[in-house]
Amino acid sequence: MQKTSEKSAVNKCAKHKGGFLMAITKDEQKAIYISMMRIRRFEEAAERLLKEKRMPGFAHLYIGEEAIASAVCANLRRDDYITSTHRGHGHCIAKGADLRFMMAELYGKEAGYCKGKGGSMHIADTDIGILGADGIVGAGQPISVGAALSAQVRGTDQVTVCFFGDGSTNQGTFHESLNLASIWKLPVVFICENNLYQITVPFSYHSNIRDIAVRAQAYDIPGVTVDGNDVMAVYEAAKVAVERARRGEGPKLIECKTYRHRGHFSGDPASYRPKDEVEAWLKRDPIPRYEQFLIDNGVMTREELDEAAAQVEKEIADAIAFAEAQPYPPVENTVKDVYSEDIVKEARDR
């Protein structure tokens, strides 16, 4: 009877053309949708708060790429690791970060994940495997290899997922990391979010190849390219790669073709992008596409989608209220947790 009950809750996704017929429960599909909505609404709120100057600094927004983080992290356990990028809000939310502490960090408040000293680009929560977002292009790749090596040496079956952009694949860190992961058969999954622009430079200009995934061949590891705005296509590819890594069969490179709806950072008008290109990609927005998929496959009704969106709106409002009510870190703690105590003492002595 138990098996029958479980089977009835499974949606076989027979209409999906991304690959093999897979089994994913309706609850898992709903959770992916809520994750995508949390990312979208969190970033829209951050964008608005920055414009209103209620929040300091600026942010690199992930809007338009929500399908990737949500679908990949749906295949991970709490104790698995991720490394992130300067565009890392979505990765952290999908892995389970607390929206209140994230928002407080963006506000520079003491209750934030880094006590208000890291800001948008440096959110980390090692309790749930978030090893840190990073403002340095390509810096997460060697960190992910180190985390995967640690799991291998300790004899656990933890998997590390490394998120990075297309621009970083021209860095030495990318090639060194894939090489080491290959020769040591490390449990790491490399997720390239190819949003077609390295800051303002088009992909066609900075790389003389069609697909980044082909670079995996040089290191004798599998490489695939998927539609990064198709949730189920990303989920399927990530599921295969994560299970492979957990079995000890080594790394894999997944290239997700996607598009950022905003400029490189909040406030960037992105005038370097052709209007027709932007319009074409906006029509492929992953959230409406996934909503239609959920309705067509009987997973959620329009009313249930609206209810989930409303609940997310409340979570975001609560996170903003929490952040705005928190104090800033005291001035005397400016360099605390930033430098070692020895360095601080040496500077003071000078």
Side-chain angles (χ1 to χ4, degrees):
M1 293 297 291
Q2 180 66 25
K3 289 183 178 179
T4 302
S5 176
E6 291 176 353
K7 186 176 181 180
S8 65
V10 169
N11 184 320
K12 291 292 185 183
C13 299
K15 295 182 180 179
H16 190 256
K17 298 178 181 177
F20 57 86
L21 295 179
M22 63 176 185
I24 177 172
T25 69
K26 291 185 176 182
D27 285 344
E28 288 172 329
Q29 293 176 78
K30 292 177 183 176
I32 290 174
Y33 175 69
I34 291 171
S35 171
M36 294 173 69
M37 290 301 295
R38 283 181 178 139
I39 296 170
R40 177 67 62 94
R41 297 294 179 251
F42 182 92
E43 296 230 299
E44 288 177 340
E47 183 179 41
R48 173 173 53 82
L49 294 166
L50 286 164
K51 286 181 179 176
E52 295 173 354
K53 300 188 184 305
R54 290 165 63 185
M55 180 182 285
F58 62 95
H60 299 81
L61 300 173
Y62 193 68
I63 295 174
E65 304 181 25
E66 298 90 346
I68 304 170
S70 300
V72 170
C73 289
N75 287 287
L76 299 181
R77 301 189 315 228
R78 179 183 173 87
D79 66 339
D80 288 329
Y81 300 116
I82 67 166
T83 61
S84 183
T85 68
H86 58 287
R87 205 178 303 282
H89 300 161
H91 309 141
C92 296
I93 292 172
K95 190 62 170 65
D98 191 307
L99 298 180
R100 297 171 304 160
F101 302 148
M102 282 187 64
M103 193 65 79
E105 187 59 40
L106 267 64
Y107 266 87
K109 298 296 185 71
E110 191 171 20
Y113 267 117
C114 302
K115 301 180 183 178
K117 301 169 187 172
S120 170
M121 288 193 286
H122 300 287
I123 292 172
D125 184 350
T126 54
D127 288 342
I128 56 173
I130 301 173
L131 299 181
D134 202 314
I136 301 174
V137 175
Q141 293 151 359
I143 295 173
S144 69
V145 169
L149 177 61
S150 168
Q152 187 184 72
V153 169
R154 288 182 285 112
T156 73
D157 64 349
Q158 292 165 283
V159 172
T160 299
V161 165
C162 176
F163 292 101
F164 54 91
D166 51 287
S168 74
T169 62
N170 295 324
Q171 296 266 96
T173 51
F174 170 78
H175 298 278
E176 294 169 14
S177 298
L178 262 65
N179 185 54
L180 285 176
S182 174
I183 62 175
W184 291 337
K185 289 192 178 301
L186 297 180
V188 56
V189 179
F190 296 98
I191 303 290
C192 177
E193 297 174 319
N194 186 352
N195 62 27
L196 310 186
Y197 282 88
Q198 181 179 3
I199 304 182
T200 60
V201 182
F203 176 74
S204 59
Y205 184 85
H206 75 67
S207 295
N208 196 27
I209 52 176
R210 179 177 176 179
D211 299 314
I212 287 171
V214 301
R215 290 182 168 169
Q217 296 175 15
Y219 303 99
D220 195 26
I221 65 176
V224 297
T225 297
V226 299
D227 179 350
N229 285 13
D230 183 334
V231 180
M232 288 298 106
V234 178
Y235 180 89
E236 289 175 1
K239 183 179 182 63
V240 172
V242 169
E243 290 181 350
R244 179 177 185 275
R246 211 180 294 286
R247 290 194 301 268
E249 297 176 11
K252 186 169 184 175
L253 171 63
I254 301 174
E255 176 191 13
C256 303
K257 294 284 179 66
T258 186
Y259 202 72
R260 52 175 159 82
H261 288 187
R262 304 295 194 265
H264 176 59
F265 58 88
S266 57
D268 172 14
S271 56
Y272 45 86
R273 301 194 300 190
K275 184 179 178 182
D276 58 342
E277 175 189 283
V278 176
E279 291 176 348
W281 276 94
L282 289 178
K283 291 178 181 176
R284 299 175 60 190
D285 187 327
I287 291 183
R289 285 179 67 183
Y290 190 43
E291 288 178 339
Q292 194 60 54
F293 173 86
L294 294 173
I295 292 172
D296 291 346
N297 286 276
V299 180
M300 297 178 77
T301 64
R302 171 52 63 185
E303 290 71 24
E304 290 172 328
L305 291 169
D306 292 342
E307 288 175 8
Q311 178 58 38
V312 170
E313 293 279 7
K314 183 178 183 307
E315 291 178 11
I316 300 302
D318 289 346
I320 294 172
F322 172 83
E324 294 191 338
Q326 302 305 309
Y328 288 105
V331 174
E332 58 267 28
N333 286 348
T334 301
V335 296
K336 184 177 175 59
D337 303 318
V338 177
Y339 301 104
S340 74
E341 290 299 322
D342 290 342
I343 292 177
V344 172
K345 183 176 183 304
E346 182 181 342
R348 285 173 176 163
D349 291 343
R350 289 181 179 178

